[in-house]
Amino acid sequence: DVKVTQSSRYLVKRTGEKVFLECVQDMDHENMFWYRQDPGLGLRLIYFSYDVKMKEKGDIPEGYSVSREKKERFSLILESASTNQTSMYLCASRLPGGNEQFFGPGTRLTVL
Amino acid sequence: GQQVMQIPQYQHVQEGEDFTTYCNSSTTLSNIQWYKQRPGGHPVFLIQLVKSGEVKKQKRLTFQFGEAKKNSSLHITATQTTDVGTYFCAGPLIYSGGYNKLIFGAGTRLAVTH
């Protein structure tokens, strides 16, 4: 079974802090994704990476950056956390050109 | 840009009643996927439909892909409390480089009363 893990289930940070969210997958998937999920808005894509060191902006990249130094790991960085970044963050991976996305358990981030 | 719209946003049914959620895309889709997210959980892939007019069944769940490949539906027969959750549809947006990303609908949250 594909396993996608995220570094924290719950995280509380203060405004202005730099925040790192880590995602690791164990199935050698080339493609990885970061979403945020907010009530009534569904899943919105922040960034994705189709291979190591490659990244593409999604629909809402402002205030975020990413890093993909190794195939299994995709990091989401909030350079200076703000209260409007309080959300559920979901990481996903899949095979290239493929279909099914495998999601991690999510990190619920609260920015005070 | 490409949009995927889902209705209703929320539905509350009595156990044993049927439930349907509808998904509409602003553009023709090469395929459509459905995911289920249980309360407190993460989205889990249910199925993918590829062909125009395709119908697939998974026990009490019936998935349809429209003839024009712009809409889809998920129908649950005789709902059970285990069906509770949010159902998302998603369609691919294909980039010129050949890779694609999924555009998700906002989801339909299903509540089932025993």
Side-chain angles (χ1 to χ4, degrees), chain B residues 49-66:
Chain B
L49 304 171
V50 178
K51 298 178 184 175
S52 168
E54 188 170 14
V55 177
K56 286 189 176 180
K57 291 193 175 185
Q58 289 180 350
K59 297 183 180 177
R60 294 176 295 101
L61 277 61
T62 302
F63 303 85
Q64 288 190 302
F65 200 12

PDB file of all heavy atoms in Angstrom, chain B residues 49-66:
ATOM      1  N   LEU B  49     -13.618   7.397 -14.107  1.00  0.00           N
ATOM      2  CA  LEU B  49     -14.408   7.129 -15.307  1.00  0.00           C
ATOM      3  C   LEU B  49     -13.710   7.789 -16.477  1.00  0.00           C
ATOM      4  O   LEU B  49     -13.226   8.924 -16.371  1.00  0.00           O
ATOM      5  CB  LEU B  49     -15.826   7.691 -15.160  1.00  0.00           C
ATOM      6  CG  LEU B  49     -16.612   7.203 -13.940  1.00  0.00           C
ATOM      7  CD1 LEU B  49     -17.898   7.990 -13.782  1.00  0.00           C
ATOM      8  CD2 LEU B  49     -16.909   5.726 -14.052  1.00  0.00           C
ATOM      9  N   VAL B  50     -13.671   7.089 -17.609  1.00  0.00           N
ATOM     10  CA  VAL B  50     -12.923   7.578 -18.757  1.00  0.00           C
ATOM     11  C   VAL B  50     -13.783   7.725 -20.013  1.00  0.00           C
ATOM     12  O   VAL B  50     -13.632   8.682 -20.770  1.00  0.00           O
ATOM     13  CB  VAL B  50     -11.734   6.633 -19.055  1.00  0.00           C
ATOM     14  CG1 VAL B  50     -10.965   7.105 -20.273  1.00  0.00           C
ATOM     15  CG2 VAL B  50     -10.810   6.544 -17.853  1.00  0.00           C
ATOM     16  N   LYS B  51     -14.672   6.791 -20.222  1.00  0.00           N
ATOM     17  CA  LYS B  51     -15.420   6.764 -21.493  1.00  0.00           C
ATOM     18  C   LYS B  51     -16.705   7.566 -21.413  1.00  0.00           C
ATOM     19  O   LYS B  51     -17.374   7.610 -20.384  1.00  0.00           O
ATOM     20  CB  LYS B  51     -15.752   5.322 -21.844  1.00  0.00           C
ATOM     21  CG  LYS B  51     -14.544   4.439 -22.062  1.00  0.00           C
ATOM     22  CD  LYS B  51     -14.985   3.007 -22.350  1.00  0.00           C
ATOM     23  CE  LYS B  51     -13.797   2.086 -22.477  1.00  0.00           C
ATOM     24  NZ  LYS B  51     -14.201   0.691 -22.626  1.00  0.00           N
ATOM     25  N   SER B  52     -17.074   8.146 -22.524  1.00  0.00           N
ATOM     26  CA  SER B  52     -18.329   8.865 -22.640  1.00  0.00           C
ATOM     27  C   SER B  52     -19.484   7.927 -22.316  1.00  0.00           C
ATOM     28  O   SER B  52     -19.559   6.813 -22.843  1.00  0.00           O
ATOM     29  CB  SER B  52     -18.463   9.378 -24.073  1.00  0.00           C
ATOM     30  OG  SER B  52     -19.755   9.839 -24.334  1.00  0.00           O
ATOM     31  N   GLY B  53     -20.384   8.365 -21.414  1.00  0.00           N
ATOM     32  CA  GLY B  53     -21.542   7.559 -21.055  1.00  0.00           C
ATOM     33  C   GLY B  53     -21.248   6.393 -20.131  1.00  0.00           C
ATOM     34  O   GLY B  53     -22.131   5.591 -19.841  1.00  0.00           O
ATOM     35  N   GLU B  54     -20.029   6.320 -19.629  1.00  0.00           N
ATOM     36  CA  GLU B  54     -19.645   5.174 -18.802  1.00  0.00           C
ATOM     37  C   GLU B  54     -20.428   5.133 -17.495  1.00  0.00           C
ATOM     38  O   GLU B  54     -20.697   6.165 -16.891  1.00  0.00           O
ATOM     39  CB  GLU B  54     -18.143   5.238 -18.510  1.00  0.00           C
ATOM     40  CG  GLU B  54     -17.571   4.016 -17.826  1.00  0.00           C
ATOM     41  CD  GLU B  54     -16.049   4.036 -17.791  1.00  0.00           C
ATOM     42  OE1 GLU B  54     -15.446   5.095 -18.053  1.00  0.00           O
ATOM     43  OE2 GLU B  54     -15.459   2.972 -17.505  1.00  0.00           O
ATOM     44  N   VAL B  55     -20.767   3.917 -17.086  1.00  0.00           N
ATOM     45  CA  VAL B  55     -21.428   3.685 -15.798  1.00  0.00           C
ATOM     46  C   VAL B  55     -20.654   2.594 -15.077  1.00  0.00           C
ATOM     47  O   VAL B  55     -20.376   1.544 -15.655  1.00  0.00           O
ATOM     48  CB  VAL B  55     -22.892   3.241 -15.970  1.00  0.00           C
ATOM     49  CG1 VAL B  55     -23.523   2.942 -14.603  1.00  0.00           C
ATOM     50  CG2 VAL B  55     -23.699   4.297 -16.709  1.00  0.00           C
ATOM     51  N   LYS B  56     -20.296   2.869 -13.826  1.00  0.00           N
ATOM     52  CA  LYS B  56     -19.604   1.860 -13.015  1.00  0.00           C
ATOM     53  C   LYS B  56     -20.295   1.730 -11.678  1.00  0.00           C
ATOM     54  O   LYS B  56     -20.814   2.711 -11.148  1.00  0.00           O
ATOM     55  CB  LYS B  56     -18.135   2.241 -12.803  1.00  0.00           C
ATOM     56  CG  LYS B  56     -17.252   2.051 -14.019  1.00  0.00           C
ATOM     57  CD  LYS B  56     -15.785   2.255 -13.641  1.00  0.00           C
ATOM     58  CE  LYS B  56     -14.868   1.977 -14.816  1.00  0.00           C
ATOM     59  NZ  LYS B  56     -13.425   2.174 -14.463  1.00  0.00           N
ATOM     60  N   LYS B  57     -20.267   0.527 -11.156  1.00  0.00           N
ATOM     61  CA  LYS B  57     -20.908   0.286  -9.856  1.00  0.00           C
ATOM     62  C   LYS B  57     -19.903  -0.287  -8.877  1.00  0.00           C
ATOM     63  O   LYS B  57     -19.051  -1.101  -9.230  1.00  0.00           O
ATOM     64  CB  LYS B  57     -22.082  -0.673 -10.014  1.00  0.00           C
ATOM     65  CG  LYS B  57     -23.253  -0.094 -10.766  1.00  0.00           C
ATOM     66  CD  LYS B  57     -24.495  -0.953 -10.618  1.00  0.00           C
ATOM     67  CE  LYS B  57     -25.674  -0.263 -11.283  1.00  0.00           C
ATOM     68  NZ  LYS B  57     -26.943  -0.972 -11.086  1.00  0.00           N
ATOM     69  N   GLN B  58     -20.046   0.169  -7.636  1.00  0.00           N
ATOM     70  CA  GLN B  58     -19.301  -0.403  -6.526  1.00  0.00           C
ATOM     71  C   GLN B  58     -20.334  -0.652  -5.436  1.00  0.00           C
ATOM     72  O   GLN B  58     -20.711   0.262  -4.719  1.00  0.00           O
ATOM     73  CB  GLN B  58     -18.226   0.549  -6.007  1.00  0.00           C
ATOM     74  CG  GLN B  58     -17.054   0.754  -6.915  1.00  0.00           C
ATOM     75  CD  GLN B  58     -16.032   1.721  -6.327  1.00  0.00           C
ATOM     76  OE1 GLN B  58     -16.273   2.386  -5.323  1.00  0.00           O
ATOM     77  NE2 GLN B  58     -14.873   1.827  -6.960  1.00  0.00           N
ATOM     78  N   LYS B  59     -20.820  -1.864  -5.356  1.00  0.00           N
ATOM     79  CA  LYS B  59     -21.847  -2.229  -4.373  1.00  0.00           C
ATOM     80  C   LYS B  59     -23.029  -1.279  -4.482  1.00  0.00           C
ATOM     81  O   LYS B  59     -23.721  -1.274  -5.509  1.00  0.00           O
ATOM     82  CB  LYS B  59     -21.257  -2.234  -2.958  1.00  0.00           C
ATOM     83  CG  LYS B  59     -20.153  -3.272  -2.788  1.00  0.00           C
ATOM     84  CD  LYS B  59     -19.633  -3.311  -1.366  1.00  0.00           C
ATOM     85  CE  LYS B  59     -18.539  -4.347  -1.249  1.00  0.00           C
ATOM     86  NZ  LYS B  59     -17.937  -4.390   0.108  1.00  0.00           N
ATOM     87  N   ARG B  60     -23.295  -0.438  -3.512  1.00  0.00           N
ATOM     88  CA  ARG B  60     -24.453   0.443  -3.552  1.00  0.00           C
ATOM     89  C   ARG B  60     -24.156   1.779  -4.241  1.00  0.00           C
ATOM     90  O   ARG B  60     -25.043   2.629  -4.355  1.00  0.00           O
ATOM     91  CB  ARG B  60     -24.936   0.708  -2.119  1.00  0.00           C
ATOM     92  CG  ARG B  60     -25.496  -0.528  -1.407  1.00  0.00           C
ATOM     93  CD  ARG B  60     -25.880  -0.224   0.051  1.00  0.00           C
ATOM     94  NE  ARG B  60     -24.709   0.132   0.849  1.00  0.00           N
ATOM     95  CZ  ARG B  60     -24.383   1.368   1.167  1.00  0.00           C
ATOM     96  NH1 ARG B  60     -25.145   2.380   0.778  1.00  0.00           N
ATOM     97  NH2 ARG B  60     -23.300   1.622   1.883  1.00  0.00           N
ATOM     98  N   LEU B  61     -22.941   1.973  -4.701  1.00  0.00           N
ATOM     99  CA  LEU B  61     -22.554   3.230  -5.343  1.00  0.00           C
ATOM    100  C   LEU B  61     -22.558   3.054  -6.863  1.00  0.00           C
ATOM    101  O   LEU B  61     -21.987   2.099  -7.381  1.00  0.00           O
ATOM    102  CB  LEU B  61     -21.148   3.645  -4.888  1.00  0.00           C
ATOM    103  CG  LEU B  61     -21.009   4.396  -3.566  1.00  0.00           C
ATOM    104  CD1 LEU B  61     -21.508   3.583  -2.388  1.00  0.00           C
ATOM    105  CD2 LEU B  61     -19.571   4.833  -3.361  1.00  0.00           C
ATOM    106  N   THR B  62     -23.208   3.994  -7.559  1.00  0.00           N
ATOM    107  CA  THR B  62     -23.232   3.996  -9.019  1.00  0.00           C
ATOM    108  C   THR B  62     -22.677   5.314  -9.504  1.00  0.00           C
ATOM    109  O   THR B  62     -23.149   6.385  -9.106  1.00  0.00           O
ATOM    110  CB  THR B  62     -24.659   3.812  -9.557  1.00  0.00           C
ATOM    111  OG1 THR B  62     -25.206   2.592  -9.054  1.00  0.00           O
ATOM    112  CG2 THR B  62     -24.652   3.772 -11.081  1.00  0.00           C
ATOM    113  N   PHE B  63     -21.676   5.225 -10.379  1.00  0.00           N
ATOM    114  CA  PHE B  63     -21.009   6.391 -10.936  1.00  0.00           C
ATOM    115  C   PHE B  63     -21.328   6.474 -12.421  1.00  0.00           C
ATOM    116  O   PHE B  63     -21.275   5.468 -13.125  1.00  0.00           O
ATOM    117  CB  PHE B  63     -19.492   6.271 -10.758  1.00  0.00           C
ATOM    118  CG  PHE B  63     -19.046   6.090  -9.336  1.00  0.00           C
ATOM    119  CD1 PHE B  63     -19.023   4.823  -8.755  1.00  0.00           C
ATOM    120  CD2 PHE B  63     -18.632   7.174  -8.578  1.00  0.00           C
ATOM    121  CE1 PHE B  63     -18.604   4.652  -7.448  1.00  0.00           C
ATOM    122  CE2 PHE B  63     -18.200   7.008  -7.270  1.00  0.00           C
ATOM    123  CZ  PHE B  63     -18.190   5.742  -6.697  1.00  0.00           C
ATOM    124  N   GLN B  64     -21.623   7.700 -12.874  1.00  0.00           N
ATOM    125  CA  GLN B  64     -21.899   7.905 -14.297  1.00  0.00           C
ATOM    126  C   GLN B  64     -21.057   9.048 -14.831  1.00  0.00           C
ATOM    127  O   GLN B  64     -20.827  10.041 -14.133  1.00  0.00           O
ATOM    128  CB  GLN B  64     -23.379   8.250 -14.506  1.00  0.00           C
ATOM    129  CG  GLN B  64     -24.323   7.097 -14.306  1.00  0.00           C
ATOM    130  CD  GLN B  64     -25.729   7.456 -14.771  1.00  0.00           C
ATOM    131  OE1 GLN B  64     -26.303   8.404 -14.296  1.00  0.00           O
ATOM    132  NE2 GLN B  64     -26.264   6.671 -15.683  1.00  0.00           N
ATOM    133  N   PHE B  65     -20.646   8.899 -16.084  1.00  0.00           N
ATOM    134  CA  PHE B  65     -19.931   9.959 -16.797  1.00  0.00           C
ATOM    135  C   PHE B  65     -20.803  10.345 -17.978  1.00  0.00           C
ATOM    136  O   PHE B  65     -21.242   9.480 -18.734  1.00  0.00           O
ATOM    137  CB  PHE B  65     -18.582   9.429 -17.264  1.00  0.00           C
ATOM    138  CG  PHE B  65     -17.557  10.475 -17.594  1.00  0.00           C
ATOM    139  CD1 PHE B  65     -17.732  11.815 -17.252  1.00  0.00           C
ATOM    140  CD2 PHE B  65     -16.384  10.119 -18.240  1.00  0.00           C
ATOM    141  CE1 PHE B  65     -16.769  12.759 -17.549  1.00  0.00           C
ATOM    142  CE2 PHE B  65     -15.395  11.060 -18.525  1.00  0.00           C
ATOM    143  CZ  PHE B  65     -15.592  12.380 -18.173  1.00  0.00           C
ATOM    144  N   GLY B  66     -21.065  11.621 -18.148  1.00  0.00           N
ATOM    145  CA  GLY B  66     -21.988  12.075 -19.172  1.00  0.00           C
ATOM    146  C   GLY B  66     -21.495  11.827 -20.581  1.00  0.00           C
ATOM    147  O   GLY B  66     -20.303  11.647 -20.821  1.00  0.00           O
TER     148      GLY B  66
END
